Amino acid sequence: MPETTWWKRGIVYQIYPRSFQDSNGDGIGDLNGIRQRLDYLAWLGADAIWISPIYPSPMADFGYDVADYCGIDPIFGTLEDFDRLIEEAHARGLKLILDFVPNHTSDQHPWFQESRSSRTNPKRDWYIWRDAKLDGSPPNNWISNFGGSAWEWDEATAQYYYHAFLKEQPDLNWRNAEVRRAMYDALRFWLDRGVDGFRVDVIWHLIKDAEFRDNPPNPAFQASQAEINRFIQVYSADQPEVHEVVGEMRGVLEEYRERVLIGEIYLPLERLVTYYGKDLSGAHLPFNFQLIQTAWNAQKIAALINEYEAALPEGGWPNWVLGNHDQPRIGARIGPQQARVAAMLLLTLRGTPTMYYGDEIGIGKVEIPPEAAQDPWERNEPGLGLGRDPERTPMHWDGSAQGGFTSGKPWLPLDPHFRSRHAEGLRNDTGSILTLYRRLIELRRQHPALSVGAYAQVKTEGDILAYERQHGSERLLVALNLGHEPQTLPLPAGASGRLMLSTLPDRNEEPIGAQVVLRADEGIIIALGV
């Protein structure tokens, strides 16, 4: 793929649709709400929007339990609303990426209703059914990602079915060729409507061990961890045959022009990069969540970047993520000052960055009272802090009631600080984190060194993370102080330059000599040799 390919140069902005903008007062965001905010997204500088699931669903897991792959849930609108959204997004130069959830359906999906109706139904093998052990217990020790056994007994047909997540989310049998054809047809349904790509949910789960062997115990498991960590998922996920499926999905997208396949994959780097596929025939962008999982430490992050760059297959394009709908917000993890430094990191590393809605206005940790909790994971394993509601709270658009998100009662509480942390106010504040995000995005667009240039680490000590981005004769130095004390960084031998941007608003463009002092919690970009 050439450097000009949109998903290489562009910035992806994830929208959790329930929480972005409500247009009808029911307290839940919708497609028309997203459409109303397209001008904001274009102003910010996003190149593509990724929308979490909007398909018809009983909402047991808020849309990740799909009851129809070729429709829109009435909560979010209609197919006509979707068509209008994609038309208006494209008119503004915005691409649209849909979430695709192929590992499992809702238990209300017509396919599963047929499958569970009898052992002889033609769709029985579309899902994973197994006999009980002789003592009546589940077929093996596999654990649901949301806690408890991953096997649910079906009294009517006297077998267990497998669900990697909720019991309301039975797993499809991707070893069945008819399942594959049906799912690829669903992809084509949306591609024909103009969708620019897909983020594929839990793509590494699609194929399970053919013999359904027990997973081995995890010797490092602790009682404070989620139950899924009790065993190592050797046989329930990341099977060798999954790469054939990913390659077939990629083949469907190759029938269309410049579409992108993104895979959600929580795996170590050496296994993650295998999802690029042989000769790059797999996912264009296997999601790299290492910045979410690594301690906020300069030396550890520098080592991570080097390890990732070294592990990429030849021609593989990197990508970076700071947060999403399943992980605590970056502001909640590292605080508001370092969140500004994190923004510079995300938008200056080599590869495609994915932003998460609300990070650009500095939403941090939002406390959710127990009586307001919505996430089924929190309800299944209470007290472990696993609930994902805090990162799914509504966007703050202005200082009016409910932050301009809705005229009704929001489905989740807003950040109580929303009146001082909303897009309208921050947009007009030259020192705000929103202004910083926009300036970083502008720089990235103006300077090929930041969007498609090479990466080279600068050796440092202490709390400074530094690297060069290079393209042609242009050399840009990015220096990030991940600590809370001032740090001095010598410039590369014989180099001098000019400060282009600081994460702190009171530092303007200035010449830089043989060294530069970074204040506490500051990141800077320096143009070298000018």
Side-chain angles (χ1 to χ4, degrees), residues 111-125:
W111 297 345
F112 188 68
Q113 293 293 301
E114 285 192 52
S115 183
R116 77 186 312 175
S117 65
S118 77
R119 291 197 182 196
T120 58
N121 186 276
K123 285 191 169 58
R124 185 67 171 184
D125 190 48

Side-chain angles (χ1 to χ4, degrees), residues 389-463:
D389 292 331
E391 51 265 27
R392 299 176 176 185
T393 57
M395 180 71 173
H396 317 154
W397 294 106
D398 57 42
S400 65
Q402 312 301 354
F405 164 68
T406 182
S407 59
K409 180 182 178 181
W411 77 287
L412 276 175
L414 275 73
D415 182 343
H417 304 293
F418 76 85
R419 292 188 189 277
S420 61
R421 192 180 294 152
H422 54 77
E424 184 180 88
L426 297 178
R427 183 169 178 167
N428 298 317
D429 179 354
T430 58
S432 72
I433 189 171
L434 178 58
T435 298
L436 173 63
Y437 263 96
R438 187 165 187 259
R439 291 189 66 191
L440 284 164
I441 292 169
E442 285 179 335
L443 277 181
R444 186 180 178 89
R445 184 163 284 126
Q446 293 166 1
H447 295 272
L450 290 179
S451 58
V452 294
Y455 167 91
Q457 183 185 352
V458 173
K459 192 170 180 61
T460 64
E461 295 181 359
D463 292 322

Side-chain angles (χ1 to χ4, degrees), residues 162-174:
Y162 177 70
H163 57 93
F165 295 89
L166 298 175
K167 63 181 177 62
E168 294 87 356
Q169 295 170 289
D171 278 41
L172 284 161
N173 176 16
W174 273 85

Side-chain angles (χ1 to χ4, degrees), residues 22 61 98 165 213 221 225 239 256 309 315 341 371:
D22 172 24
D61 190 22
L98 272 189
F165 295 89
R213 287 169 283 187
F221 176 73
Q225 295 178 313
Q239 299 302 292
Y256 301 77
E309 286 278 354
V341 178
E371 65 275 10

